[in-house]
Amino acid sequence: MTAAQPPAAPGMATDNAPPTPHLRWRRAIEHGLAVAGALATGATLAVLVAQPDAVAPGLTGPTRAVVFVGAAWLVFAVGGWLVHRLPVRTATVLILLGGAVLPLAAASAPPRSSDDMYRYIWDGQVQAVGIDPYRYVPAAPELTGLRNDFLWPPNANWCVPADAVDPDHGRPLAAGCTVINRPTVHTIYPPVAQALFAAVHVVSPPHSRQVPLQLVMAGFALATTILLLIGLRATGADPRLAVLWAWCPTVALEAGNNAHVDVAAAFLTGLALLVLARASTRRASTLGGALLGLAVATKLTPLLITPAVLRRRPVLVATATATAVAAVYLPHLLAVGTQVIGYIPGYLTEEGYATGARFPLLTLFMPTTWAGSVAVAVLTVVALRSVRTADPDRPWLAATTMTGTALLVTAPSYPWYALLLVLLVALGGRTEWLAVAAAPYLAQYAPNLHLTTASTQRIGYAAALAVVIVAALHRRRSRTAPTPQTPGVDT
């Protein structure tokens, strides 16, 4: 038996009555202010991303980049909050607008904090003349005919001396300066990424430099926004969560400005996850696994989500993933043999994975020599837990934990590594993990703050870990808290 409902207060609409004119006006004003605020936020973020001089012309010196990125994240937080207060249709329009404008705005300026895209352009150029990208290092004398003033200017950050030799084979290299990083080692990027680089080169106008690549990666960022809006609605989630990807500074900066191929891998990963989450047939599971394999063959980081998708038809999904990877590697393997591995082993050594120096949070509590083994153990435990407990209808939740944990353990100073995590946060709504996506910027700009990279890695990722733990405890307490009873109501 339930008690009688109290009379509605004057001017208040009841559940069954239409809203009063006063309430309709109040809602209209609130929505209008939220729209204006969201648009202003998006416009400010676009300017921050593309033209920081226009916002703070008097701010110069080593701290400017830190202030710029910090302001972009603050504006993003405000904009995301405002968008979530809007009706879904209005929010969708604004999310799409931001998803298009922000990466394009970032693409209007040359790359600010990474030179990886120059290797992409070079690999595409090499393939255009029929040479396998894994065969030669950029400084190889066989490729000197492909050099131009854009990629090989008289003065640059990377210069090959006259007596340099190929570290893998001992062959002499051709001297010269270049904007391509590590010109004396083989490319590290997998075959699907290489196919994308070649395709961009084919469609690029002569002398267009980095702009076509920036536009293509900005296009992948927008395509991922559209995918999220469709996929979230299809899975019964709030499509407004897509703003967490579309307006995120990491997406605008690392996709539009620095043109990292990680955004293409994120798009393929999102597509794979949405297919696998709704896979009711063996054919759908095979397709989802193949898409995941293509994502892995674009950038290796999507391997981290594999444990979360093995709850439904694990053998079929794993086989489809492995087959797709093998299929795209096979032509290169036949052409160049083991050189297809590229600089991956050297990169892992250079980054300190072998010595344990790559794990700054762990080395706070243990000797460096232990850190590598402990890191493997931590990630193994999280992976096994994902395999056992992941929700096959929402695999992105377990994938968020797995990917975020990997970033916390390795603490990279490369913000583009977090693009995959931002995608997963947008799918699952675990916004606390965005703190992990923001942490690399502090480490990236450590020299600007007159700090060591290791110290800023520890500060940034320790703070992010604290945010994640507090949010997890709050969520657990909310789930276990008893439901309050309404006074005067019999149950």
Side-chain angles (χ1 to χ4, degrees):
M1 178 178 179
T2 60
Q5 296 293 330
M12 180 181 295
T14 63
D15 290 340
N16 298 323
T20 65
H22 171 74
L23 185 57
R24 284 198 297 266
W25 275 107
R26 190 177 71 183
R27 288 178 178 174
I29 292 171
E30 289 176 349
H31 292 163
L33 290 175
V35 169
L39 284 172
T41 299
T44 304
L45 182 56
V47 175
L48 283 169
V49 166
Q51 303 295 339
D53 291 327
V55 179
L59 181 62
T60 59
T63 59
R64 191 180 81 158
V66 180
V67 173
F68 153 58
V69 173
W73 274 91
L74 179 61
V75 170
F76 163 58
V78 174
W81 180 78
L82 288 170
V83 165
H84 275 84
R85 294 178 61 84
L86 294 172
V88 171
R89 288 186 179 181
T90 306
T92 299
V93 173
L94 292 177
I95 290 168
L96 279 172
L97 185 62
V101 169
L102 297 180
L104 287 176
S108 68
R112 297 186 181 278
S113 55
S114 171
D115 53 12
D116 284 357
M117 73 159 64
Y118 300 119
R119 173 73 79 150
Y120 302 172
I121 296 170
W122 176 257
D123 284 356
Q125 189 174 324
V126 168
Q127 292 176 83
V129 296
I131 299 174
D132 192 285
Y134 302 103
R135 185 174 296 279
Y136 300 114
V137 302
E142 292 86 351
L143 302 181
T144 53
L146 299 179
R147 295 186 179 186
N148 55 47
D149 291 340
F150 171 54
L151 294 178
W152 296 84
N155 298 293
N157 292 332
W158 302 86
C159 291
V160 181
D163 59 349
V165 295
D166 185 329
D168 294 328
H169 306 288
R171 295 186 298 227
L173 298 176
C177 291
T178 179
V179 293
I180 304 168
N181 62 39
R182 302 176 180 87
T184 62
V185 301
H186 292 269
T187 188
I188 198 173
Y189 300 103
V192 174
Q194 294 294 344
L196 178 58
F197 304 156
V200 173
H201 177 83
V202 168
V203 302
S204 297
H207 313 297
S208 53
R209 297 177 174 253
Q210 81 281 350
V211 174
L213 193 60
Q214 288 178 311
L215 293 178
V216 167
M217 298 309 176
F220 271 108
L222 176 58
T224 306
T225 297
I226 296 171
L227 176 68
L228 285 167
L229 288 168
I230 296 172
L232 288 166
R233 188 180 293 274
T235 57
D238 186 349
R240 290 171 293 190
L241 287 172
V243 75
L244 300 176
W245 166 273
W247 289 25
C248 182
T250 300
V251 175
L253 287 169
E254 308 310 332
N257 186 254
N258 292 322
H260 280 289
V261 74
D262 303 61
V263 68
F267 171 77
L268 289 170
T269 302
L271 194 56
L273 283 169
L274 289 168
V275 170
L276 290 169
R278 298 173 63 83
S280 58
T281 65
R282 294 176 61 84
R283 178 178 297 180
S285 295
T286 301
L287 174 61
L291 288 169
L292 179 55
L294 294 178
V296 171
T298 303
K299 190 70 182 275
L300 298 180
T301 47
L303 276 172
L304 292 168
I305 76 156
T306 305
V309 299
L310 296 181
R311 290 295 305 280
R312 182 184 287 140
R313 301 187 184 93
V315 175
L316 183 59
V317 172
T319 301
T321 301
T323 301
V325 172
V328 295
Y329 264 103
L330 182 60
H332 299 285
L333 183 63
L334 295 175
V336 300
T338 57
Q339 287 181 197
V340 74
I341 298 174
Y343 186 57
I344 293 176
Y347 178 78
L348 295 177
T349 300
E350 177 185 305
E351 289 292 308
Y353 286 97
T355 63
R358 193 61 173 81
F359 312 106
L361 282 186
L362 294 179
T363 53
L364 278 173
F365 309 102
M366 65 188 67
T368 301
T369 53
W370 294 7
S373 299
V374 174
V376 171
V378 169
L379 294 177
T380 300
V381 169
V382 176
L384 291 174
R385 185 177 183 276
S386 296
V387 172
R388 292 184 56 193
T389 64
D391 181 352
D393 295 327
R394 296 188 299 164
W396 38 82
L397 297 179
T400 300
T401 302
M402 182 70 206
T403 304
T405 301
L407 291 174
L408 287 169
V409 168
T410 57
S413 56
Y414 309 126
W416 52 93
Y417 281 19
L419 280 169
L420 177 61
L421 180 62
V422 176
L423 167 81
L424 297 171
V425 169
L427 281 168
R430 299 288 173 84
T431 54
E432 66 271 18
W433 287 99
L434 287 175
V436 179
Y441 285 105
L442 186 61
Q444 186 181 56
Y445 294 115
N448 301 27
L449 300 171
H450 306 292
L451 298 170
T452 65
T453 299
S455 63
T456 52
Q457 284 174 306
R458 285 169 175 160
I459 294 169
Y461 282 98
L465 177 60
V467 170
V468 171
I469 291 173
V470 169
L473 293 174
H474 175 73
R475 186 176 292 108
R476 176 174 294 183
R477 185 163 56 181
S478 299
R479 284 199 302 261
T480 57
T483 303
Q485 299 294 325
T486 302
V489 175
D490 295 333
T491 58

